Amino acid sequence: MWPVFVLSAFFFLCGAKATLVPSPYVDFLPGSLNVILSSPHGGHLKPSSIPNRDAGCYINGDCVYSHTCGTKDPNNCDVVTSNDLYTQELTRELYTSLCNEFNACPPTVINLLHRRKHDPNREKDEGTFGVPDVEQAWDYYHGLLQEIRQNQTDQALLLDIHGHGHPTVWVELGYLVSRTRLNLGYYSAHRTSVRNLYAHTTGVSSIQELLTGAAPISFGALLEAQGYQAVPSPTNHGPGSHSYFSGGYITKHYGSRYSGIVDAIQIESPKAYRKLPERTQYVAALTETIRNYTTRHYV
Ligand SMILES: *[C@@H]1O[C@H](CO)[C@@H](O)[C@H](O)[C@H]1NC(C)=O
Ligand SMILES: *[C@@H]1O[C@H](CO)[C@@H](O)[C@H](O)[C@H]1NC(C)=O
Ligand SMILES: [Zn+2]
């Protein structure tokens, strides 16, 4: 009896396919390409029925994120509520451009809510403040990314599309390697979001070469070959003393750091590249970069 019970319990837990409950606050653009796009910080909707994310309460040394937690403590439990301007537009234009380039589209998940209402690039409590409609949006956003990830039969690459407000006009590429480690060149592949890529690509002698090597090895080099500055890249191995985003919740959870055949890179573009008219050129450059990178490293 036991083996049968254990076996059926196993299939129940692992084989059962969760049905996704759609949310009006998340847009899904389908596709069969092994490039995946995610756009968490470019939503425009600010329904008045959803209270603003403000700050959590600081309780016994922990932040509790809800609107009923008591006294909000912005000193200890502040949250970021400003959007990455034009990143939804950038993602949609990149989707269309990739569809044309590859004759197959990248499955794409877009948060439609302003970051003041929903942040899918955070843990669920901090991202939603426990508001039911927003929790449903968070669940759908991540349910889609999970299903897209499980659907991949070959190596795939997820690009999480962001915009930084740093004064530096370069594209920050996040592989989960900190600024300090990039500056020192001191990091190993198994803690990056491209661990699976490094394990399977050929002719690349170190993880440092994969992140900062000459074209067509590193994503940064390919982007610079298109005329756009990037870090890490052959010209900028690390950000030096400048501010830099190394990758957040989505890059951590849907890249190959912990498991799987899907890699992830967080792409933080400067505002100058996200704005029209520059954005049109930039989308073409990203498309070419993605094509060269996947041709070199992905089957
Ligand atoms: C995953 O694959 C199944 C089967 O092809 C398909 O019906 C479903 O839409 C895919 N899911 C996503 C989110 O792309
Ligand atoms: C990108 O790929 C194209 C087509 O194969 C090639 O002509 C071009 O040199 C590549 N660019 C770089 C920087 O490797
Ligand atoms: Zn962002």
Side-chain angles (χ1 to χ4, degrees), residues 202-204 209-219 221-222 293 296-297:
T202 53
V204 179
E209 187 185 0
L210 183 59
L211 269 51
T212 65
I217 303 292
S218 74
F219 197 94
L222 289 167
Y293 195 68
R296 172 61 179 82
H297 295 297

Side-chain angles (χ1 to χ4, degrees), residues 126-147:
E126 185 181 340
T128 68
F129 276 65
V131 176
D133 284 353
V134 186
E135 287 189 317
Q136 186 182 332
W138 193 98
D139 286 341
Y140 187 49
Y141 197 99
H142 289 279
L144 283 168
L145 286 183
Q146 253 162 46
E147 198 175 295

Side-chain angles (χ1 to χ4, degrees), residues 214-217 221-226 288-289 291-293 295:
I217 303 292
L222 289 167
L223 205 46
E224 292 193 339
Q226 298 294 323
E288 189 69 1
T289 298
R291 195 170 64 82
N292 284 34
Y293 195 68
T295 301

Side-chain angles (χ1 to χ4, degrees), residues 51-121:
N52 288 342
R53 297 170 63 247
D54 41 20
C57 303
Y58 195 57
I59 299 172
N60 298 326
D62 280 317
C63 292
V64 175
Y65 298 101
S66 88
H67 293 297
T68 53
C69 58
T71 309
K72 304 279 179 105
D73 185 342
N75 289 322
N76 288 304
C77 303
D78 202 15
V79 298
V80 183
T81 59
S82 53
N83 259 9
D84 299 357
L85 216 58
Y86 310 126
T87 50
Q88 181 180 161
E89 293 75 6
L90 174 62
T91 305
R92 289 184 187 279
E93 289 161 28
L94 184 57
Y95 175 85
T96 303
S97 178
L98 290 171
C99 293
N100 292 332
E101 180 75 24
F102 287 89
N103 288 314
C105 294
T108 296
V109 183
I110 296 174
N111 171 32
L112 300 179
L113 283 173
H114 193 279
R115 201 175 183 185
R116 203 173 293 156
K117 307 291 183 182
H118 179 210
D119 188 345
N121 196 33

Side-chain angles (χ1 to χ4, degrees), residues 41 84 115 162 268:
H41 289 162
D84 299 357
R115 201 175 183 185
H162 292 259
E268 290 269 2

